[in-house]
Amino acid sequence: MRMVLKFGGSSLASPQHIHHAAGLAAALAKKGTQVVVVVSAQGDTTDEMIENAKAVSASRSQREMDAYLCAGEQMSAALMAMALQQQCVPAVSFTGFQAGIQTDDCFGCARIQSVNPERIQAALEAGKIAVVAGFQGIDREGNLTTLGRGGSDTTAVALAAALHAHVCRIYTDVDGVYDRDPRQYPNARRYRYICYNRMLSMARRGAQVLHDRCVELARDNRIRLEVRSTFTDAPGTIVGR
Ligand code: ASP
Ligand code: MG
């Protein structure tokens, strides 16, 4: 069994959060599952970095913005690997580049063109959890690129496809996909199952829970997506056929 787990920023907001998320990954690894963990930047790091860049320059080049923003996910990846090691689970972190993620050169909204998961594969075969920085890749020329806001979901699904993982589980701060925003509508209903196309149209209409490109990629590669809360045991929502 091979699984990709993705943790969003709110699931990684503090050292305690990182350890909790690491514990979820470790529990699966201890049962014999090969685990890849994809991480977002911690908490509101990306927003704060954008504000910081605006304070430095009014005319920010997209290339430099991507070079800068990639660092948020890289920090999370190294911290997650350290947390796993602290829990006595072998782990190794990778940038998007090291994970073999190649994109086009559309800075700020790059699309993944290919994934060469050799190093991830080797880490898994050596019994390690592979931790990958989400949201990033490199273009043909070797420039750092980012996949657009929320793009770590897409990294997770692209890796799941390249590694023939059975499941891609998206851990987040809501306990699944709802028919309406549960924060605004108290009687919103959670889907237990939802099909790719319905999920895709919700994501395109602005449902924040999943990056639209991630749903497309899951549909095209028939990857089962599970959207779950990091903080409760609720079964969440399965996105599939
Ligand atoms: N950190 C990036 C963002 O805030 C990517 C992600 O979280 O998926 O948009
Ligand atoms: Mg997200």
Side-chain angles (χ1 to χ4, degrees), residues 6 9 40-41 46-47 73 135 148-153:
K6 180 261 174 177
S40 290
T46 305
D47 290 324
E73 270 68 16
F135 177 56
R149 298 304 307 268
S152 297
D153 296 341

Side-chain angles (χ1 to χ4, degrees), residues 2-6 36 38 156-157 159-160 163 165 167-169:
R2 187 174 270 184
M3 284 178 78
V4 176
L5 313 180
K6 180 261 174 177
V36 176
V38 173
V157 174
L159 282 170
L163 291 160
V167 175
C168 180
R169 188 176 285 175

Side-chain angles (χ1 to χ4, degrees), residues 37-70:
V37 174
V38 173
V39 289
S40 290
Q42 285 186 276
D44 297 326
T45 301
T46 305
D47 290 324
E48 288 161 14
M49 291 175 88
I50 291 170
E51 289 310 310
N52 204 28
K54 284 184 183 164
V56 169
S57 163
S59 59
R60 300 165 301 284
S61 91
Q62 265 304 336
R63 181 192 182 278
E64 300 313 327
M65 279 306 283
D66 278 10
Y68 180 47
L69 294 180
C70 282

Side-chain angles (χ1 to χ4, degrees), residues 140-238:
R140 229 175 241 287
E141 245 114 71
N143 300 300
L144 292 166
T145 55
T146 66
L147 309 181
R149 298 304 307 268
S152 297
D153 296 341
T154 298
T155 304
V157 174
L159 282 170
L163 291 160
H164 308 291
H166 303 82
V167 175
C168 180
R169 188 176 285 175
I170 309 285
Y171 279 105
T172 178
D173 54 4
V174 291
D175 59 3
V177 178
Y178 283 76
D179 58 352
R180 285 170 295 171
D181 185 346
R183 282 164 292 205
Q184 270 185 48
Y185 301 94
N187 56 356
R189 287 180 46 180
R190 186 176 73 214
Y191 292 105
R192 183 71 188 96
Y193 299 93
I194 183 169
C195 70
Y196 294 120
N197 285 336
R198 172 170 270 186
M199 185 65 241
L200 190 56
S201 66
M202 285 174 65
R204 284 185 180 145
R205 273 187 278 123
Q208 295 284 312
V209 62
L210 290 172
H211 196 227
D212 56 354
R213 181 71 189 127
C214 131
V215 183
E216 250 170 41
L217 213 53
R219 179 192 61 192
D220 297 348
N221 291 280
R222 299 196 173 176
I223 308 275
R224 171 188 160 116
L225 276 176
E226 297 180 359
V227 181
R228 286 228 198 174
S229 165
T230 314
F231 309 111
T232 71
D233 286 331
T237 299
I238 293 168

